[in-house]
Amino acid sequence: MLAGLMQDDFPLTLHHPLHRMRSVHPGAEVVTLTDHGVVRATYGEVAERVDRLARALERLGVRQGDRVGTFAWNNQRHLELYMAVPCVGAVLHTLNIRLFAEQLTYIVNHAEDGVIFLDDSLVPILQELAPSFEGVRNYIVMGDGDCDCGSLPNALRYEDLLEDAGPGSFEYPELDERQAAALCYTSGTTGNPKGVLYSHRSISLHSSASLMTDALGLSTRDRALVVVPMFHANAWGIPHAAALAGADLIMPDRFLQAEPLAKLIEAERPTIMGCVPTIFADMLRYADTNDVDISSLKNAACGGSAVPRQLMKDYEERHHVGVFQAWGMSE
């Protein structure tokens, strides 16, 4: 299968960005903010873990077309799921952690999730809802250390699964570029949340478009800070686009307050950031009153709602940061 990726004509599946992570940009970096500072891994190391995860999914009984849920922040392990789940032919179902309990129950059952991967910090939320989930057979808890998995039934540790899977390449199946790769549900403002399916082809085309100058202009020279949540709308496609381009990825995990974000920007010097106006406004107030340098940002994409013109002007004049309006649809 991978030999076909070297030809001029190949299916537009997520096998391609995974191949580029492994073979073209193995030295690019994924940085995740944790309670104990940042954790770093190269794209080459992440690709090796994706292979392990693919084997683990197979051993968990995940088959093509199955829905695999995630309940997680923006971090390296979530990125590994972004790659492994679609590349084995399953569908990545990102569960929005901001939804009400009854909405989460509805979408897990409606999507027929069989396995859910969740961050250890979010275990208390799902352990209350687990009895209402009809088809979930395993919960995979992600995180470092030996956190309490609570009362989650058939709970397993993510790192244990990868350790048991062992090293070595994985033979990924041939996939149709038009088959489903990811699934997210809208907020359900007019009734129950509605499921939105993304094909391998649509994600691939969106990722390619994100590399264009009139879009994000993402390139191998960039470092992308992904604040927009990975649990909704594929984080605007930034993780996939970065994998395709070989740009570094900086993940804030659950640390979305102004102070840790501003300090992360000063330390890691991202050039591109995707975020919503409320977080940009909070960070501006912090940057205005504290000695922090956020000027590395040349493209600060702001979406989710209209960006106040004054906010863009203040960032440009006081911090030399270019904020621009991004617009899109979950569909």
Side-chain angles (χ1 to χ4, degrees), residues 238-251:
I238 297 174
H240 296 115
L244 193 63
D248 292 339
L249 279 168
I250 303 169
M251 306 291 204

Side-chain angles (χ1 to χ4, degrees), residues 294-307:
I294 60 172
S295 62
S296 64
L297 292 171
K298 62 181 178 66
N299 272 348
C302 190
S305 61
V307 185

Side-chain angles (χ1 to χ4, degrees), residues 29 35 44 96 100 185 190 210 214 225 249:
E29 191 175 48
D35 287 312
N96 189 332
F100 294 116
Y185 280 70
T190 55
S210 296
D214 286 339
L225 174 59
L249 279 168

Side-chain angles (χ1 to χ4, degrees), residues 46-250:
V46 170
E48 194 273 336
R49 285 171 58 87
V50 170
D51 290 346
R52 287 174 177 260
L53 178 55
R55 271 191 296 279
L57 289 168
E58 192 175 66
R59 294 178 182 181
L60 287 170
V62 174
R63 301 291 181 259
Q64 289 202 35
D66 288 352
R67 270 71 66 199
V68 176
T70 64
F71 199 64
W73 301 101
N74 293 13
N75 51 49
Q76 179 189 321
R77 295 182 179 96
H78 208 170
L79 176 66
E80 291 162 2
L81 286 157
Y82 258 49
M83 292 296 168
V85 174
C87 283
V88 301
V91 182
L92 181 80
H93 177 202
T94 54
L95 297 164
N96 189 332
I97 67 174
R98 306 298 188 193
L99 293 181
F100 294 116
E102 59 271 20
Q103 293 176 320
L104 284 169
T105 295
Y106 172 78
I107 66 176
V108 167
N109 293 335
H110 186 266
E112 300 179 348
D113 292 337
V115 179
I116 294 179
F117 289 76
L118 68 156
D119 281 337
D120 51 13
S121 63
L122 299 173
V123 166
I125 298 175
L126 282 202
Q127 71 181 6
E128 297 296 324
L129 296 177
S132 68
F133 297 159
E134 297 170 356
V136 179
R137 59 183 183 272
N138 285 110
Y139 295 86
I140 316 301
V141 180
M142 303 184 291
D144 299 315
D146 300 316
C147 81
D148 182 9
C149 294
S151 58
L152 289 172
N154 300 317
L156 302 168
R157 297 291 308 185
Y158 183 87
E159 293 301 328
D160 290 343
L161 284 180
L162 266 59
E163 179 67 25
D164 292 343
S169 61
F170 180 81
E171 187 62 32
Y172 291 94
E174 297 285 346
L175 301 175
D176 187 320
E177 65 180 17
R178 297 186 184 278
Q179 73 185 70
L183 169 66
C184 100
Y185 280 70
T186 63
S187 57
T189 53
T190 55
N192 285 324
K194 310 299 191 296
V196 178
L197 275 173
Y198 303 90
S199 69
H200 282 261
R201 178 181 173 85
S202 70
I203 293 174
S204 297
L205 292 174
H206 186 276
S207 300
S208 297
S210 296
L211 311 188
M212 297 178 182
T213 302
D214 286 339
L216 285 178
L218 194 65
S219 79
T220 189
R221 297 179 296 277
D222 284 307
R223 291 170 65 83
L225 174 59
V226 189
V227 180
V228 60
M230 294 175 72
F231 57 71
H232 185 68
N234 299 323
W236 298 353
I238 297 174
H240 296 115
L244 193 63
D248 292 339
L249 279 168
I250 303 169

